[in-house]
Every structure is written in structure tokens, then in C-alpha cells.
Amino acid sequence: MRRLLLLLLPLALLCACTTAPAEQADAPFSFYYRCAEVAYGGEDGVIRAEAAPLEADADLRTVVLQYLKGPASPELRTPLPADWALESIGLTEGTAELVFSGIPCRSLDRTILNACLARTLLQLPGVQRVSILRSGDGAADVLAAKDILLRDNGMEEQEEELVLYVPDEAQRYLVRETQTVAAMNAADRPAEIVRRLLALPESESAIPEGTALRSVSVENGVCTVDLSSQFLTGMPRSWNTERLAVYAIVNSLTELPQIQTVDLWIAGAPVERLYVLELENGLARDERMIYVPALDGTLDVTLSLTCDTMPLLAQVPMQLTLAEGTSSVQCVLEALLALEGENGLENSIPQGTKILSLKLAGGVCTLDLTAEFLEGCRTAEQERMAVREIVATLSALPEVETVDLLVEGLEPNYRDDSLQAVHTARNYWFVS
């Protein structure tokens, strides 16, 4: 990721584009374009915003296509070269990805283009980075908000923002916060991020108080973080606490483009497992743990998966999008059937299990599953945990009081007859 500095000439060229028109009250969205007469030295001398009407729920594609129509003001012009054409648009894990075709342009023109598109698209909810690629280039330019400077502040102390993820008040998700720090070399950022996480007050962090950083190194996209033994000795035997503590570190570090996975070491040695969480393999970023402000049609639910080393369930908070015409019960159950286990959790429900029918009446959820549900269970324990996963997940919904399970329209012929009486979740099913 490159830092963009739009002021490439001395401050002596202080002038600016003509006064920006007042933004329309009903058009709060800003589209950034290149000034028709570029004047280096001021914040609006190179690029400037133009307010334009935009639907409140406009998605990335809508915004990009409207942007490509160009500015209305004659004082602005599109930064896109005349022969460039849009090939594709996508959004992957917070990165808006744009691919263009066309011949290469001047470095300065490309810099201004990147800044205009990034400033425009970074206003959209869910967009944290913007990737701009011209077909034929070896790599895309990837920009976050901190990578765009709009004025010549070379004589001032440089600052940048670091992104940290911390537990929310309900201790279910991680929330994104930024801290402004003195500008530093890219190689120093990983250690600074971990130090700042460790320095957070106990009330704002799941990481045990007193944990110290021993070392941080990055090689081939893998960041190895070595913490003091207090991380283990001070960690309660709690699945939820350890997942928040570990992924606060993982998700914060993987904000940096040079880091894809994180290996956690304690007191100079790798750690294979905490209470539930498996750490043997490199931990990748988990976007599902990041809280997104709820929109219409968003469900905040709790799915239950099986701990792979003990016959207990771990509760996994998750935000789901409710499709039109789909009930919340069906949405949650479909998410559970599709969920894959990882990092110490497994889904005991056999793959290929499908919903034949689903009814909810008077708080009773009657669920009919295909034969794969029983045929795919290799042991009585897997069968028991599969039943518990379904009952616990559905019982967590406020509208569900009890669950009745059928297989191919009939009462299941379980290996353990006692499962016939399981209709509600029990407290002893869950890991602490």
C-alpha cells in the first residue's frame, strides 16, 4: 500500500480551485473529482468534493456507476483517463475492488485517480480499503483512509491512524476503533499495535492484565507474536474470553496489508491450544467477529458448535442477513447447517443434511430433516451433539420455546433413546 502525497510542487504555488458550491441539503454523499485547474498547496487545490443525490441504501456498484458519469460542475473533471473502462466491481472482506482496462497513465494522474476513488468509496459502510487495478499491472493499489494526504505537511510532525479491535460492551463481538499515533515505518506497526492492545484498561480488553510483549516478527505474510506467560496464567477458562482476546490481536494485525495470518507464542514457545481455541495453525482474520451496526433485515443470533476435545457446546455470536420471505428460524438453521468448524470447534451435523420442512406454532418449532442427519453420524456421541447443536441454536431465538425433530417425516431412531426427550437446551451442555 502506498502513501499518497498529492502535493508534488513547492508551497509557493498556493492557489486553489474556485470556491466550492454549497452542498445540497438532500445530497450528503460526496463524490471526489479532480480540479479542472490543479493548484498544489491547498487542501482543495487538487481534488474536491461534489455533493450529488444518492439513495440511502445505495450499494458499491451503484455508487461507482454514478461516479463514472462524471461531475456536474465545469470546475471539476473525472480523474479517469479517457480510454479507461471499468471491467469489474467487488467487495471482499472490507476491500472495494475495482478493475479497469486501458493503457498506462502518468504516475501523477494515477495518484490523483486513486485518491479520488478512495475518498469517495471509503464513505460507504463496510468499505475499509479500496483496491484499484489496471488490467496488465502486476499488483493493485490498495488504499485506506490513512494513506491519503491532501496537503503539504512535510514540515509538520506526521501522524497516522492505527486500527485496533476491542470487545463490545456485551462481550459478543469486536468493535473497530482507531488511535492516532506519530507516523512510523511499516516494520514498526505490528509491535505498536500489540503494545497498544496490551495497554488498554482491563475494562476495555479481554487480554489478561499484565501481559507483556516479548517480540513480534513478520515473514511471508505470517506475523509471530510472542507474549509473556501472563497471557496463559491470567486467562480464565472461558471460551468467549479467549476468543475475544486472541482475535483482538489477530484482527488488529491483519489490518496491515503485509499480514495474512498470526501465530501466537507464549514465553518463547508456540501454543497449540488454549481452553477451547486451537492455535496450532496460523490464525486468519475473522470478519464474523466484527460487529456491524444492525440494518433492517439483520439478525444478531447465537449458533452452537461442538468443542472438538470435549462433549460440550460453544456459543458463537453471528450477524445474519434475513432474506425477504425467509423466517428468522429458517435463516438461523440454514446458517447452522452451512457453518464449518475451525480453531477448536466442529459442526457435528453431518454434511449434506437438508431441511425438508419447518413449522413454528405456539413456540414449538417442528423441524423435519433429510436422512443424512442420522446416516452421517458415525457415533452415538456425534448424534447426541448434533441434536444438541440444533436444539440449542433454535432455543436461543426468543420465539422458540421447544424443538421437535423429525427425520424424513418420522420420529428419529436414535442410538441413544434418551434423545427422544430432548426438546430444550440444558445449561450443562455449554462450555463456560
Side-chain angles (χ1 to χ4, degrees):
M1 185 179 294
R2 69 178 69 173
R3 175 166 291 273
L4 298 181
L5 181 59
L6 299 186
L7 295 158
L8 306 177
L9 299 180
L11 287 176
L13 297 177
L14 283 174
C15 54
C17 291
T18 54
T19 304
E23 291 190 355
Q24 303 171 31
D26 60 346
F29 196 86
S30 296
F31 290 83
Y32 286 85
Y33 294 103
R34 181 173 185 158
C35 289
E37 297 182 8
V38 173
Y40 302 95
E43 291 194 13
D44 61 352
V46 179
I47 70 174
R48 198 180 70 215
E50 178 179 80
L54 187 68
E55 296 292 335
D57 58 350
D59 60 10
L60 174 63
R61 175 173 291 274
T62 301
V63 172
V64 172
L65 294 180
Q66 182 166 337
Y67 180 87
L68 294 180
K69 294 178 182 178
S73 171
E75 298 169 0
L76 302 174
R77 63 181 176 87
T78 178
L80 204 71
D83 65 325
W84 278 36
L86 181 66
E87 288 190 348
S88 66
I89 308 170
L91 181 62
T92 304
E93 296 184 351
T95 300
E97 300 171 333
L98 279 65
V99 179
F100 294 92
S101 61
I103 63 175
C105 60
R106 292 189 310 156
S107 176
L108 175 59
D109 292 335
R110 179 65 179 266
T111 296
I112 295 174
L113 165 65
N114 290 349
C116 289
L117 285 172
R119 290 210 74 191
T120 299
L121 299 182
L122 286 169
Q123 300 171 85
L124 292 172
V127 176
Q128 299 170 13
R129 294 167 295 277
V130 177
S131 168
I132 303 165
L133 175 66
R134 186 193 69 85
S135 293
D137 289 346
D141 293 329
V142 184
L143 298 92
K146 66 180 183 296
D147 300 306
I148 306 171
L149 298 178
L150 296 179
R151 59 191 179 89
D152 187 351
N153 53 1
M155 300 302 291
E156 302 174 5
E157 181 180 356
Q158 299 293 302
E159 294 182 338
E160 64 180 90
E161 287 187 341
L162 295 180
V163 176
L164 305 182
Y165 286 93
V166 299
D168 65 355
E169 292 184 2
Q171 299 289 300
R172 286 174 59 82
Y173 299 99
L174 297 172
V175 293
R176 186 177 191 268
E177 69 172 36
T178 59
Q179 292 191 4
T180 301
V181 300
M184 65 189 73
N185 294 326
D188 297 328
R189 290 183 188 129
E192 184 65 20
I193 285 173
V194 178
R195 290 191 193 98
R196 287 179 173 270
L197 287 171
L198 299 182
L200 291 172
E202 187 177 7
S203 60
E204 300 177 17
S205 174
I207 299 173
E209 191 175 16
T211 300
L213 176 62
R214 289 168 49 89
S215 66
V216 174
S217 62
V218 180
E219 185 175 356
N220 297 326
V222 179
C223 181
T224 301
V225 179
D226 189 3
L227 301 175
S228 66
S229 58
Q230 179 62 22
F231 185 82
L232 284 183
T233 59
M235 182 74 70
R237 288 174 63 83
S238 164
W239 147 250
N240 192 53
T241 301
E242 69 184 27
R243 64 184 278 272
L244 290 171
V246 168
Y247 277 96
I249 296 172
V250 172
N251 281 10
S252 297
L253 287 172
T254 52
E255 279 284 323
L256 302 176
Q258 68 268 33
I259 297 176
Q260 281 75 55
T261 61
V262 176
D263 286 345
L264 189 62
W265 289 36
I266 303 296
V271 179
E272 294 184 358
R273 181 180 292 273
L274 298 179
Y275 177 40
V276 174
L277 197 61
E278 183 182 281
L279 306 177
E280 186 175 2
N281 299 315
L283 296 172
R285 183 180 185 84
D286 191 344
E287 293 284 342
R288 297 172 303 184
M289 290 196 61
I290 301 173
Y291 177 74
V292 178
L295 303 173
D296 290 342
T298 299
L299 298 177
D300 186 356
V301 300
T302 302
L303 308 185
S304 290
L305 290 182
T306 303
C307 302
D308 63 9
T309 58
M310 61 187 95
L312 294 173
L313 298 179
Q315 295 179 302
V316 182
M318 191 169 295
Q319 291 179 288
L320 304 176
T321 300
L322 183 61
E324 187 175 353
T326 302
S327 70
S328 57
V329 177
Q330 180 177 343
C331 178
V332 169
L333 185 58
E334 288 175 348
L336 177 63
L337 295 181
L339 189 60
E340 296 182 1
E342 60 182 356
N343 299 333
L345 300 182
E346 61 186 18
N347 194 335
S348 294
I349 302 171
Q351 288 187 350
T353 299
K354 295 181 176 61
I355 304 169
L356 290 176
S357 67
L358 183 63
K359 298 178 182 178
L360 180 63
V364 179
C365 179
T366 303
L367 170 63
D368 189 7
L369 299 174
T370 57
E372 286 85 354
F373 180 71
L374 290 181
E375 294 171 355
C377 289
R378 298 183 299 275
T379 65
E381 180 173 296
Q382 181 183 352
E383 193 175 76
R384 180 170 59 254
M385 298 311 297
V387 170
R388 289 181 177 182
E389 285 182 10
I390 291 175
V391 172
T393 297
L394 294 181
S395 297
L397 295 170
E399 62 266 42
V400 177
E401 298 175 8
T402 62
V403 179
D404 289 342
L405 272 178
L406 301 175
V407 175
E408 299 289 344
L410 302 173
E411 285 195 3
N413 184 19
Y414 295 121
R415 295 177 176 89
D416 181 355
D417 292 340
S418 67
L419 289 177
Q420 297 284 1
V422 175
H423 301 285
T424 58
R426 319 289 171 81
N427 289 333
Y428 64 82
W429 290 0
F430 302 97
V431 70
S432 60

